[in-house]
Amino acid sequence: MLRHLTCSLAVSLAAASTAPAATPVFEPVVLEDNSCRVAVYAVTLADVDGDGKNDVVAVTENKVLWYRNPDWKRHVVIEDQTELDNVCIAAHDIDRDGKIDFALGAGWLNGKHLGTIQWLSRGKSLDEKWTVHPIGAISWTHRMRFGDVLGKGEPQLTVSPLNATAGKGGVELTAFTIPKNPKSEPWPREVLDESMNRMHNHWHLAGPGGGMATVTASQEGVHWLSGLRALGVHQLIHPGATGEKPEQKGAGEIKPGKRSDGGLLLATIEPMHGNQAVVYLVDKPKQLGGVDVKRIVLTDQLKQGHAVYPADFDGDGDDDVAVGFREPGPGEIKGPALLLFENVSGDGTKWEQHVVDNGGIAPEDIAVGDLDGDGLPEIIAGGRSTKNVKLYRNVTPRSK
């Protein structure tokens, strides 16, 4: 039983399960319960206090919060310092001082869809609110991530809007280069692609020849991108869901993972806000123009699927897939729920479903990482409608 929690320090542990070895097992830790009325849009991990352990960071409509590992005390980064609503965040040492900063997207659902893009620098102590510095704006800004997609030797901030950029035919997937003095100099921008729409997410991964590529989930399906527009590679991996209406087509969420045979695994939610969790087994990701792809539907019983994350949750060397959906669905697991699909074959051809949380959170976003140093990754989920943040400690028994 979870006790009632307060906003000052909201931590509770459930009893550990006695599941067999290698079956993923989780203990919920409530960082923020719904009494605090915090509608969470995004979560991520970052070592905010510089102690070598990742902390939990949550984005709400008007705040950025962080929870210190391991006491999970709540701290405010900013509050009412950006255009409503904050929607996405990415951690990086932007000013090169050896400490983590954040890029933040805002102006989301306030009726204007301004898509403001800014970064946050800390004060003299972590007790002070951080300072907001403007970077630029792209209407409908929805997701952001750091990665050296331009091959400059230092990560750029890549931003994907959800809908067509104002005055354009499609989404301007844009890379912003960090200037020498990011507080005073403009951030140069370069468009990576502008041919897709309803791009719900993008992710970076190693590309052919050691460079960095980007995978995207959009109405047009799952794509692999590298380089600038026509100068680089733009390949359709798979069209995704194939409904009759535009909103029933393509993919909505995407993240890459690994398989035991060394091949690439791409995990998606399809279509955008859809009913399917899908994995793609990409056997020849470097042979662009002739990629072999196998599509496997993990479940079609989601409603408002909104989060997916591959990781090796059971420590067997291949990635499993965490999936979140944010409204009660038609299946046996009504939800909203956080599910985990165990990669029991290793190569991604056979999967087993486990329930991490059924009804306790409506995952708007999830993040994954090893927070206690035991080699197994935890899951962090943020609920927008349930207004809570939960950490699921990975207590999977190790096989002897």
Side-chain angles (χ1 to χ4, degrees):
M1 293 289 292
L2 292 177
R3 58 184 173 83
H4 179 71
L5 304 169
T6 64
C7 292
S8 57
L9 179 60
V11 179
S12 179
L13 298 182
S17 172
T18 57
T23 297
V25 183
F26 295 88
E27 291 179 345
V29 181
V30 179
L31 305 188
E32 195 86 63
D33 80 340
N34 59 13
S35 67
C36 305
R37 310 304 296 169
V38 174
V40 179
Y41 282 72
V43 289
T44 192
L45 302 178
D47 183 7
V48 181
D49 56 4
D51 65 353
K53 299 188 293 288
N54 271 337
D55 308 294
V56 173
V57 181
V59 173
T60 80
E61 66 270 34
N62 68 326
K63 302 181 185 72
V64 175
L65 306 169
W66 72 279
Y67 304 84
R68 185 174 60 195
N69 185 354
D71 64 15
W72 308 118
K73 183 178 180 181
R74 179 198 212 239
H75 301 264
V76 176
V77 177
I78 63 166
E79 182 174 9
D80 297 324
Q81 294 166 253
T82 54
E83 289 276 352
L84 288 175
D85 291 315
N86 299 322
V87 67
C88 56
I89 194 166
H92 183 64
D93 180 10
I94 293 170
D95 56 10
R96 307 174 182 91
D97 67 351
K99 300 176 183 178
I100 283 292
D101 308 298
F102 296 105
L104 182 71
W108 171 238
L109 287 179
N110 62 358
K112 302 176 184 177
H113 307 297
L114 298 174
T116 64
I117 303 164
Q118 45 266 304
W119 71 279
L120 316 178
S121 66
R122 64 184 67 206
K124 293 181 180 179
S125 79
L126 289 173
D127 295 324
E128 301 176 19
K129 286 185 179 179
W130 296 31
T131 301
V132 177
H133 308 276
I135 294 174
I138 303 177
S139 61
W140 290 101
T141 287
H142 189 245
R143 294 290 183 263
M144 55 176 50
R145 211 157 314 284
F146 281 98
D148 187 11
V149 295
L150 300 179
K152 295 184 175 182
E154 185 179 56
Q156 298 85 45
L157 175 67
T158 301
V159 175
S160 55
L162 178 65
N163 293 318
T165 305
K168 305 291 182 179
V171 166
E172 279 194 330
L173 181 66
T174 303
F176 292 85
T177 297
I178 305 171
K180 184 176 181 180
N181 188 339
K183 292 182 180 180
S184 60
E185 297 177 15
W187 290 48
R189 63 170 73 188
E190 298 184 71
V191 176
L192 303 177
D193 187 88
E194 53 189 347
S195 64
M196 294 174 277
N197 209 345
R198 291 173 66 85
M199 185 181 291
H200 199 265
N201 211 342
H202 71 277
W203 204 265
H204 303 314
L205 70 165
M212 182 160 285
T214 302
V215 286
T216 64
S218 70
Q219 182 176 287
E220 292 78 11
V222 176
H223 286 78
W224 174 289
L225 309 175
S226 60
L228 288 171
R229 302 186 191 181
L231 300 177
V233 173
H234 179 156
Q235 172 145 357
L236 175 67
I237 298 294
H238 196 279
T242 55
E244 295 182 0
K245 299 178 181 179
E247 62 269 21
Q248 297 172 334
K249 297 180 179 180
E253 279 291 320
I254 188 165
K255 290 184 180 68
K258 65 180 185 297
R259 293 153 36 194
S260 60
D261 59 3
L264 175 65
L265 180 152
L266 295 175
T268 67
I269 299 291
E270 298 182 6
M272 189 180 95
H273 300 171
N275 65 316
Q276 295 184 340
V278 177
V279 292
Y280 293 95
L281 310 182
V282 185
D283 291 330
K284 299 177 181 179
K286 294 185 179 181
Q287 296 184 14
L288 300 173
V291 178
D292 294 333
V293 179
K294 184 174 184 179
R295 182 179 187 266
I296 297 175
V297 177
L298 301 178
T299 181
D300 61 0
Q301 299 296 295
L302 311 179
K303 187 172 182 182
Q304 286 284 315
H306 210 262
V308 68
Y309 214 120
D312 185 5
F313 293 105
D314 53 11
D316 64 356
D318 54 69
D319 280 357
D320 314 293
V321 178
V323 172
F325 62 103
R326 59 186 186 179
E327 291 185 10
E332 181 180 351
I333 309 303
K334 290 297 183 184
L338 177 61
L339 306 177
L340 189 136
F341 293 87
E342 182 184 358
N343 186 353
V344 294
S345 62
D347 63 358
T349 58
K350 185 178 180 182
W351 299 82
E352 184 175 319
Q353 178 180 287
H354 305 280
V355 179
V356 179
D357 193 324
N358 183 14
I361 195 166
E364 188 79 6
D365 191 25
I366 60 176
V368 169
D370 182 8
L371 296 179
D372 55 14
D374 68 351
L376 293 175
E378 276 67 48
I379 304 173
I380 300 86
R384 180 175 162 195
S385 63
T386 48
K387 296 179 170 58
N388 55 350
V389 181
K390 296 177 80 169
L391 158 66
Y392 300 88
R393 288 188 56 232
N394 192 336
V395 294
T396 303
R398 295 285 193 168
S399 299
K400 295 182 179 180

